[in-house]
């Protein structure tokens, strides 16, 4: 109650009109908040003046897209086939050249010439010189170390890479590296650890029954390697070796047997044996007993028996000579020095014979013997293929 009273219509709001004296909202002709007559006091634009002075009135503009009538958007037309598009239109008239090559008529940069010369002298490029019959540079720089070890019969190429990766191979006293090439006159050293590891690798001889595949599982059938367990070890194994779980690992078949064939199958951890049995130049014999049925009246003619021995071809390649003879009226003895896929069955079909049973009984000098079906034994130190 003791606050001073504002003077009537004084103070901050003194210049503000009373509520009843203000014009109604939107009644701009009567003045209003911005002052009476403010709209009328704005300067009028001159006809055709100001920023939009050159812009025609709405009713004078041409319809959208009617470019022939001029008006807004009436841009000057480009001369026919002129400017940037003139060169583009003549694209087909220009000679084609490699993107990396210089334009026609332009000299080749010196840096590019030097780079091309350096590339031609690369180690993997053909050697260039006065002798046109010179060997490629890769050959001149020797053979791969892993290939050299394999050719010496020391180890397979895959195992050679393992030896190199483990640091067991030296060349001229220096640790070898994967992919290294061996030059003539260089000295290769093998660590004793590699020999010891190789000596611990085993070779398994198994009498494979029907229903098992030689290699990896396929079509729901298990590999023969699953039979290599302590329970299936033949009690009369002459090697006297004791089974260790590590002996059943990393076993690879050295020669295949079809799923419907039985007999001697070799599984090994030693790459040397695998190469000896399945290499391209192998001379190891493989002997089979084959029960057959002749699909024509009578017996197999002698000329067809001669074809089985030599003269047939599979997949367009002639077969090596084979030993084929009758064991009895319905069983053949076949000895091969190669192992094409289903070779014996396809050979017999070619002369009208149907194979009803096939058993491998010998590989080299190692025989199946009395080993029962589904059981296995070790290859002894005294045995060689």
């Amino acid at each position: 109650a003791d606050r001073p009273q504002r003077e009537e219509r004084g103070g901050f709001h003194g210049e503000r009109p009373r509520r009843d004296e203000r014009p109604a909202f939107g009644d701009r002709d009567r003045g209003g908040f911005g002052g009476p007559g403010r709209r009328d006091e704005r300067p009028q634009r001159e006809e055709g003046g100001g920023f939009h002075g050159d812009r025609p009135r709405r009713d004078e503009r041409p319809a959208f897209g009617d470019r022939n009538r001029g008006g807004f958007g009436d841009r000057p037309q480009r001369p026919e086939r002129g400017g940037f598009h003139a060169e583009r239109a003549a694209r087909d008239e220009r000679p084609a050249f490699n993107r990396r090559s210089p334009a026609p008529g332009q000299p080749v940069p010196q840096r590019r010439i030097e780079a091309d010369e350096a590339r031609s002298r690369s180690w993997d490029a053909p050697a260039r010189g006065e002798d046109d019959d010179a060997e490629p540079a890769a050959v001149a720089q020797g053979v791969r170390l892993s290939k050299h070890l394999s050719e010496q019969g020391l180890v397979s190429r895959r195992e050679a890479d393992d030896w190199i990766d483990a640091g067991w191979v030296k060349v001229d006293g220096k640790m070898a590296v994967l992919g290294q090439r061996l030059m003539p006159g260089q000295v290769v050293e093998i660590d004793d650890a590699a020999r010891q590891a190789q000596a611990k690798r085993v070779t398994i001889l198994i009498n494979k029954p029907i229903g098992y595949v030689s290699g990896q599982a396929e079509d729901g059938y298990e590999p023969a390697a699953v039979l290599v367990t302590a329970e299936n070890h033949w009690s009369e194994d002459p090697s006297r070796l004791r089974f260790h779980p590590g002996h059943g690992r990393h076993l690879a078949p050295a020669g295949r047997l079809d799923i419907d064939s039985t007999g001697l199958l070799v599984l090994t951890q030693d790459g040397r044996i695998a190469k000896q049995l399945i290499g391209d130049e192998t001379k190891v014999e493989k002997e089979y007993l084959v029960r057959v049925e002749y699909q024509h009246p009578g017996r197999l003619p002698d000329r067809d028996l001669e074809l089985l021995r030599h003269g047939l071809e599979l997949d367009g390649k002639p077969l090596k000579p084979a030993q084929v003879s009758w064991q009895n009226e319905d069983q053949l003895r076949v000895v091969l020095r190669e192992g094409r896929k289903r070779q014996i069955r396809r050979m017999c079909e070619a002369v009208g014979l149907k194979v009803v049973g096939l058993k491998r009984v010998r590989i080299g000098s190692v025989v199946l013997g009395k080993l029962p079906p589904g059981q296995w034994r070790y290859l002894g130190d005294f045995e060689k293929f």
Side-chain angles (χ1 to χ4, degrees), residues 169-177 180 187 189:
V169 183
K170 292 183 179 181
V171 177
D172 291 341
K174 296 182 180 180
M175 198 78 68
V177 296
Q180 181 173 340
V187 179
E189 301 176 51

Side-chain angles (χ1 to χ4, degrees), residues 85-100:
H85 295 278
E87 299 177 2
R88 187 173 183 179
R91 183 185 300 273
D92 298 336
E93 301 174 4
R94 295 183 293 179
F97 59 94
N98 188 283
R99 183 177 181 183
R100 298 182 60 185

Side-chain angles (χ1 to χ4, degrees), residues 28 30-39:
R28 304 190 65 171
R30 295 174 54 189
F33 183 79
R38 184 175 182 180
R39 180 182 182 90

Side-chain angles (χ1 to χ4, degrees), residues 208-214 218 221 257-262 342:
K208 187 188 86 66
I210 293 177
Y212 290 88
V213 295
S214 301
E218 55 184 66
Y221 294 100
L257 265 182
D258 299 331
I259 189 173
D260 46 1
S261 301
T262 65
R342 300 182 72 84

Side-chain angles (χ1 to χ4, degrees), residues 67 73-88:
R67 304 189 66 171
D74 189 12
R75 301 173 181 173
Q77 300 296 322
R78 297 189 184 97
E80 187 174 359
R81 300 183 67 82
F84 173 76
H85 295 278
E87 299 177 2
R88 187 173 183 179

Side-chain angles (χ1 to χ4, degrees), residues 223-234:
V226 302
L227 297 174
V228 183
T229 61
E231 293 76 17
N232 293 329
H233 189 191
W234 187 32

Side-chain angles (χ1 to χ4, degrees), residues 275-344:
K275 181 181 178 182
Q276 180 184 4
L277 299 184
I278 61 177
D280 294 335
E281 303 300 326
T282 181
K283 297 182 180 180
V284 178
E285 292 183 345
K286 303 173 182 66
E287 181 178 343
Y288 302 84
L289 297 179
V290 188
R291 287 190 295 110
V292 294
E293 293 178 355
Y294 191 47
Q295 301 298 296
H296 304 289
R299 288 182 56 84
L300 180 73
D302 291 341
R303 65 176 182 275
D304 289 343
L305 184 63
E306 289 297 326
L307 279 177
L308 288 175
R309 292 169 179 163
H310 190 221
L312 294 176
E313 63 178 32
L314 295 179
D315 303 323
K317 296 182 179 180
L319 296 174
K320 294 180 180 180
Q323 301 176 32
V324 182
S325 59
W326 287 106
Q327 292 291 101
N328 51 48
E329 293 183 355
D330 62 353
Q331 182 169 286
L332 290 170
R333 173 181 175 270
V334 180
V335 180
L336 303 177
R337 291 181 179 269
E338 59 184 335
R340 304 277 189 91
K341 185 175 182 181
R342 300 182 72 84
Q343 178 174 340
I344 293 180

